[in-house]
Amino acid sequence: MQLSDEEENYNLSLSKFESMLKTNKVFFFDSEEFEEIILHYLDMGKTALAKKALKLALDQHPKSTGLKLVQVEMLIFEDKLEIAEKLLNELYAIEPNNEEIYIQKANICSKRDQHEKAVEYLKIALKFTDDYADVYNLIGMEYLFMDNLEQAKESFINCLEEDLEDQTALYNVVYCFEFLDQNAEAIEYLNQYIDKNPYSEIAWHQKGRLHYGLTQYDEAIRAFDYATLIDEDFLGAYMEKAKAYERLNQYEKAIESYKRTIELDDATSYALLRIGKCHEKLGNTAFALKFFNDTVHEDPLLDKGWIAITDFYVRQNNFQKALFYVNKALAIDNQNKLYWKRYATINKQMNFFEEAEFGYRKAVEFGDTELDTWLFWVDLLQFLGEFDGAILTLLQATEFYPESNEIEYRLAGLYFMTQDNVKAKFHLSNGLRLNFDNYIILEDLFPIVWTKKTVQNYIAKHKK
């Protein structure tokens, strides 16, 4: 690729400067060359070289406003705000119409969380600048800092009116629309933008995302299609398109799009997992299993991969294999509540009740507070004859579910079993109050309690 004269001169300036540093010779550069060199090193994160270049630059051009403004930028970067402010005031006395002075004053205010004042300076900069897009962008960012999304949105729209190709502003304006829950309005705006800039793959992609969020999957796919026509290597658009096809149950097309992402880049565990899920929906069990295995091979720490394989075998009623894979998952991460719950469920299906009870206990220990987890655990404790443990577990569950009739009926049954009739009646009363018809829980789980005449009478009395 041939470089432009400007790029060649820029590269020559850099080479000449670096040669000067190596030989300790002093070469002359004009002030604009120095500015480009300094900003290059700042962009590269090489602040020591930037400072060295700035010192040499100011030695050769002590009165250059442009270089002094670069110096201000570096001072602000280093949080030396008072020194930067003093230098800016001196420059303002010389060049009050220089927009960069107001931009840097705004930068200082922004650093001090004085965002309204920063906006005031940037609005003054608008009067003197030729680069309106850049200033509108900066104003938009200040409004974002103030959580004023409406004003931020307007500023980014103004920016795009000045520079249609500003992709950062395009992303930001869509972000504002979404944050304000204005997805339909965002689509309308993007339609207008696309009329002016029809070959913007970013705009088509964002439009597709918004349609997807509104469950308009056909429209989303059309938008993603345009994005990938404009840019054949647009990985994100292929990924989003695949998700939309999944939502429409068009699994073959979803697989095709996911596979395209793998062609464009290294296989991701997410794409492999979704391909496996699509194959399972199509009944291609061998392919599904292959891609689930590829998923955990690609990323052994991705719990969704292990869960997909485990659940696959559970659905096939192959509990032995399901247990094998959930044990492999636990060997990698033995603090994962999702793994422990599946370990418990599978063991329960295989009538390994002590192992199942242990699994539910570990699931709760590692943060599973779902009601069904508590209830499965308690029912196993009861089945194993551990009534006191079951009661303690249920009392712990009431902290999360204080108004659960399912917990109250179980507590009533367990207290009747342990001959604590006062507490039993208290919890039975709670259960009947919360959901009278669910007293069937007593009949199902505590048949001995259910046959007690006192219990029958208590329920009948409550019904009246």
Side-chain angles (χ1 to χ4, degrees):
M1 188 178 73
Q2 226 174 2
L3 295 174
S4 67
D5 290 344
E6 196 175 318
E7 285 173 314
E8 277 191 23
N9 291 337
Y10 173 64
N11 289 336
L12 280 170
S13 297
L14 274 175
S15 300
K16 183 177 161 188
F17 180 76
E18 288 177 5
S19 168
M20 181 179 78
L21 292 178
K22 288 173 187 171
T23 59
N24 286 327
K25 292 178 181 176
V26 177
F27 298 138
F28 180 83
F29 297 87
D30 66 38
S31 61
E32 286 185 4
E33 278 183 297
F34 264 127
E35 281 182 49
E36 287 177 353
I37 291 165
I38 295 160
L39 292 172
H40 166 78
Y41 287 128
L42 283 176
D43 289 341
M44 297 286 288
K46 297 178 178 179
T47 49
L49 280 172
K51 283 182 180 179
K52 193 172 283 189
L54 178 64
K55 185 179 183 307
L56 288 165
L58 288 170
D59 286 345
Q60 290 188 10
H61 305 280
K63 293 184 178 179
S64 166
T65 303
L67 286 170
K68 285 180 180 176
L69 283 166
V70 172
Q71 184 182 14
V72 166
E73 199 171 328
M74 287 182 69
L75 288 167
I76 293 170
F77 178 76
E78 293 173 337
D79 282 328
K80 296 176 180 176
L81 304 184
E82 288 77 13
I83 302 171
E85 195 169 33
K86 186 181 175 187
L87 185 51
L88 275 176
N89 289 334
E90 291 170 6
L91 291 171
Y92 172 76
I94 301 165
E95 290 189 31
N97 295 343
N98 187 324
E99 81 274 12
E100 192 61 33
I101 291 170
Y102 298 101
I103 288 169
Q104 293 306 330
K105 278 180 175 284
N107 200 356
I108 290 171
C109 290
S110 189
K111 281 258 187 177
R112 289 171 171 163
D113 290 331
Q114 299 169 345
H115 301 295
E116 288 183 11
K117 199 170 179 184
V119 168
E120 288 174 22
Y121 279 123
L122 290 168
K123 284 181 177 177
I124 298 170
L126 278 174
K127 297 174 184 176
F128 304 113
T129 190
D130 293 324
D131 189 355
Y132 293 101
D134 184 50
V135 180
Y136 278 126
N137 215 338
L138 291 170
I139 292 171
M141 292 308 298
E142 292 303 319
Y143 280 125
L144 280 184
F145 291 136
M146 290 188 275
D147 292 327
N148 187 337
L149 276 295
E150 277 291 352
Q151 290 285 0
K153 181 181 72 177
E154 292 306 314
S155 298
F156 292 127
I157 288 172
N158 288 336
C159 171
L160 288 166
E161 284 174 2
E162 297 294 331
D163 180 7
L164 274 175
E165 301 297 330
D166 192 324
Q167 292 184 0
T168 304
L170 185 57
Y171 279 119
N172 281 335
V173 78
V174 173
Y175 166 80
C176 291
F177 273 116
E178 285 189 283
F179 193 90
L180 293 163
D181 201 20
Q182 298 172 350
N183 287 24
E185 292 89 336
I187 291 170
E188 189 180 333
Y189 172 77
L190 285 172
N191 286 334
Q192 294 168 8
Y193 176 88
I194 287 166
D195 285 341
K196 299 175 191 171
N197 190 9
Y199 296 105
S200 168
E201 71 275 21
I202 302 298
W204 283 110
H205 176 248
Q206 292 299 303
K207 178 172 151 65
R209 277 185 56 256
L210 290 159
H211 280 301
Y212 184 93
L214 293 170
T215 68
Q216 299 166 348
Y217 302 121
D218 286 312
E219 291 90 336
I221 288 166
R222 276 195 289 275
F224 295 135
D225 275 336
Y226 278 112
T228 54
L229 279 169
I230 296 163
D231 180 358
E232 292 179 350
D233 298 336
F234 198 157
L235 189 146
Y238 286 109
M239 188 70 81
E240 298 284 351
K241 181 161 56 168
K243 287 161 61 180
Y245 276 129
E246 267 199 86
R247 292 287 188 176
L248 292 171
N249 301 329
Q250 297 181 25
Y251 300 113
E252 291 94 343
K253 289 182 178 179
I255 290 168
E256 190 182 321
S257 284
Y258 283 127
K259 283 187 173 177
R260 182 72 179 120
T261 70
I262 293 170
E263 290 167 11
L264 290 170
D265 200 0
D266 293 336
T268 64
S269 55
Y270 178 81
L272 293 168
L273 176 63
R274 297 318 310 172
I275 293 171
K277 294 272 189 185
C278 289
H279 276 301
E280 190 176 10
K281 292 283 188 183
L282 291 166
N284 303 331
T285 54
F287 279 119
L289 196 54
K290 174 196 177 299
F291 280 99
F292 292 152
N293 277 302
D294 288 347
T295 301
V296 295
H297 179 76
E298 180 67 31
D299 184 2
L301 297 178
L302 181 72
D303 56 11
K304 288 187 175 86
W306 292 106
I307 287 165
I309 297 179
T310 304
D311 289 353
F312 172 84
Y313 280 117
V314 167
R315 283 190 288 273
Q316 303 284 322
N317 291 323
N318 190 341
F319 299 113
Q320 200 72 46
K321 271 280 181 74
L323 187 60
F324 170 77
Y325 278 102
V326 84
N327 277 325
K328 283 189 78 167
L330 283 166
I332 295 168
D333 178 6
N334 69 355
Q335 296 186 10
N336 189 307
K337 63 185 179 182
L338 300 172
Y339 295 163
W340 280 114
K341 189 165 184 175
R342 278 162 176 79
Y343 172 88
T345 303
I346 294 161
N347 275 294
K348 186 179 168 189
Q349 287 286 345
M350 298 172 74
N351 296 328
F352 299 153
F353 299 116
E354 289 184 359
E355 289 83 352
E357 183 275 322
F358 177 75
Y360 287 125
R361 180 162 17 118
K362 297 299 281 185
V364 170
E365 181 183 328
F366 292 119
D368 186 342
T369 58
E370 295 295 318
L371 179 60
D372 68 336
T373 308
W374 291 104
L375 299 180
F376 287 142
W377 181 17
V378 166
D379 291 346
L380 280 168
L381 285 168
Q382 180 205 336
F383 179 80
L384 294 167
E386 298 181 24
F387 299 146
D388 290 338
I391 288 169
L392 286 172
T393 300
L394 283 170
L395 291 173
Q396 194 180 344
T398 58
E399 295 174 19
F400 297 92
Y401 302 97
E403 294 286 293
S404 167
N405 71 87
E406 292 166 290
I407 290 175
E408 294 298 329
Y409 281 120
R410 280 172 172 81
L411 278 169
L414 287 162
Y415 277 125
F416 276 123
M417 294 292 285
T418 55
Q419 309 302 314
D420 193 337
N421 290 342
V422 174
K423 287 181 180 176
K425 286 179 179 177
F426 171 78
H427 287 288
L428 179 55
S429 175
N430 281 343
L432 293 165
R433 172 179 58 82
L434 291 165
N435 187 335
F436 180 84
D437 293 333
N438 234 10
Y439 63 74
I440 194 96
I441 289 172
L442 285 177
E443 186 177 1
D444 289 343
L445 298 178
F446 304 93
I448 296 170
V449 171
W450 175 253
T451 57
K452 287 177 181 276
K453 194 168 183 180
T454 53
V455 172
Q456 291 292 327
N457 289 340
Y458 194 84
I459 293 171
K461 184 181 174 184
H462 196 281
K463 191 172 185 179
K464 291 174 186 176

